[in-house]
Amino acid sequence: NISFVGLRSLQRALGSFGERVIATAVVPFPWNDSIPLVANYHESLKRHRPEVQPGFVSLEGYIAGRMFAHIAEQVPVHLSRDGFIQTLQGLGRFTFEGITFEFGPTAYPGMQEVSIIQLFPEFKQIHAGALHP
């Protein structure tokens, strides 16, 4: 499976039938708070939504929001769609809070790693590596 399936929902739906199911995730493992961006995500959840448990979908949204703000702050003069895109395309490869991103004029891969996740009996990251070695 790919992460778009909603791993928490899939895990609940499969129950013990998910014993041999693995999925990919294109965001870091949401419980790996050794990565500064993931640690900041945990702090934000505790501060603003303490009833919400960490997960892949909310982490992906958090990363998207943080990256938008990071790029928007670098747009010269005033924020516009064209200015945002031009700034994004000029970033190249960079590290933001412990995660490497890559953007360019013809490609927008963003993060360069994928994780393989075991679903049952609990989420467990069994591998993480570069998309393009």
Side-chain angles (χ1 to χ4, degrees), residues 8-104:
R8 179 71 66 201
S9 299
L10 180 62
Q11 182 190 47
R12 281 192 300 264
L14 291 175
S16 63
F17 292 105
E19 185 172 344
R20 295 181 189 262
V21 175
I22 60 170
T24 58
V26 293
V27 296
F29 195 62
W31 298 274
N32 183 0
D33 58 6
S34 69
I35 300 169
L37 187 61
V38 176
N40 290 335
Y41 158 73
H42 282 251
E43 289 176 26
S44 292
L45 274 180
K46 286 178 189 172
R47 186 176 326 116
H48 301 290
R49 298 292 304 273
E51 74 282 5
V52 174
Q53 294 297 312
F56 294 93
V57 174
S58 62
L59 177 58
E60 187 168 353
Y62 180 80
I63 291 171
R66 292 293 309 278
M67 286 307 303
F68 177 84
H70 176 72
I71 295 163
E73 289 173 350
Q74 297 180 54
V75 175
V77 187
H78 66 280
L79 183 60
S80 67
R81 180 181 186 278
D82 290 340
F84 184 89
I85 291 170
Q86 189 172 29
T87 301
L88 173 71
Q89 291 176 338
L91 290 175
R93 189 178 182 100
F94 66 98
T95 300
F96 178 74
E97 295 187 18
I99 298 175
T100 300
F101 294 87
E102 186 172 353
F103 298 102

